[in-house]
């Protein structure tokens, strides 16, 4: 969003400068006078890191998309890691389409310091599960209850939705928060 504002303010400043710049309307008797100009090109680099708010906003646009085992597109539906992979791939941030591998991307972050755009990883649903089995993207700010967006296979309300960790079974299943941005 900052880039949009910077571009907007740059355009406004350019238009004001052009409108207020003193113009010379006199022409030389021998013909027009050529004044050298300098062209300026503005290039927005694709190498700039994506902003977490952009990733979260794009993830939110997928709300309601169907769940599909091994799915990785809105047309077919998503599984949890396919959803995370799809959202981050939109901003050229490589993350695997495998929950077992998501536990190793980026760097670990304490749960209390989780912020929007981080990846949260949980065990599977079995009571004895100890390996990664589910993942989502953090929506909440540090200090708030941990909320995340994910693609769920739950019998009721399956698909891309928002859930909370505290006070739910996700609290028991919580493994780690990973920061990739």
């Amino acid at each position: 969003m900052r880039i949009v504002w910077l571009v907007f303010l740059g355009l406004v400043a350019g238009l004001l400068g052009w409108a207020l710049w003193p113009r010379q309307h006199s022409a030389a008797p021998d013909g027009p006078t050529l004044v050298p100009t300098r062209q300026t090109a503005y290039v927005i680099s694709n190498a700039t890191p994506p902003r977490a708010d952009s990733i979260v906003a794009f993830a939110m646009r997928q709300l309601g998309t169907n769940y599909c085992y091994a799915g990785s597109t809105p047309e077919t539906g998503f599984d949890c890691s396919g959803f995370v992979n799809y959202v981050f791939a939109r901003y050229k941030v490589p993350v695997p389409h495998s929950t077992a591998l998501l536990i190793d991307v980026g760097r670990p972050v304490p749960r209390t310091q989780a912020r929007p755009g981080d990846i949260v990883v949980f065990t599977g649903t079995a009571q004895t599960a100890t390996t990664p089995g589910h993942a989502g993207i953090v929506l909440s700010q540090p200090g708030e209850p941990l909320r995340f967006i994910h693609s769920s296979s739950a019998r009721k309300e399956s698909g891309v939705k928002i859930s909370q960790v505290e006070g739910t079974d996700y609290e028991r299943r919580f493994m780690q928060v990973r920061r990739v941005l």
Side-chain angles (χ1 to χ4, degrees):
M1 192 65 185
R2 278 190 195 155
I3 292 175
V4 172
W5 277 106
L6 288 173
V7 170
F8 174 75
L9 291 174
L11 288 172
V12 169
L15 287 173
L16 285 174
W18 178 78
L20 299 176
W21 190 263
R23 296 186 182 148
Q24 296 180 354
H25 295 287
S26 62
D30 296 338
T33 304
L34 297 177
V35 178
T37 61
R38 179 174 25 166
Q39 294 181 346
T40 305
Y42 296 96
V43 178
I44 298 175
S45 170
N46 290 335
T48 59
R51 305 237 339 134
D53 55 353
S54 299
I55 286 174
V56 167
F58 184 68
M60 295 291 282
R61 288 198 299 265
Q62 311 311 313
L63 276 171
T65 302
N66 292 329
Y67 177 85
C68 177
Y69 177 76
S72 59
T73 68
E75 295 77 29
T76 61
F78 298 109
D79 67 2
C80 64
S81 61
F83 171 68
V84 172
N85 174 272
Y86 176 79
V87 170
F88 280 92
R90 169 77 164 76
Y91 295 93
K92 297 179 175 45
V93 177
V95 297
H97 182 175
S98 163
T99 307
L101 297 176
L102 281 173
I103 194 78
D104 294 321
V105 298
R107 61 184 173 88
V109 175
R111 180 168 148 182
T112 57
Q113 294 176 17
R115 65 182 187 212
D118 288 345
I119 296 172
V120 60
V121 181
F122 304 93
T123 64
T125 55
Q127 290 288 331
T128 57
T130 58
T131 58
H134 190 63
I137 300 170
V138 174
L139 300 175
S140 53
Q141 296 290 337
E144 296 177 347
L146 187 57
R147 292 181 328 115
F148 62 102
I149 186 168
H150 60 121
S151 185
S152 170
S153 63
R155 283 186 208 127
K156 48 184 177 175
E157 284 191 78
S158 68
V160 178
K161 63 183 187 177
I162 297 172
S163 297
Q164 181 171 310
V165 173
E166 288 79 8
T168 69
D169 193 46
Y170 289 112
E171 195 160 29
R172 173 188 65 82
R173 296 171 52 201
F174 176 83
M175 290 186 78
Q176 212 171 71
V177 173
R178 307 294 297 189
R179 182 155 300 150
V180 294
L181 300 176

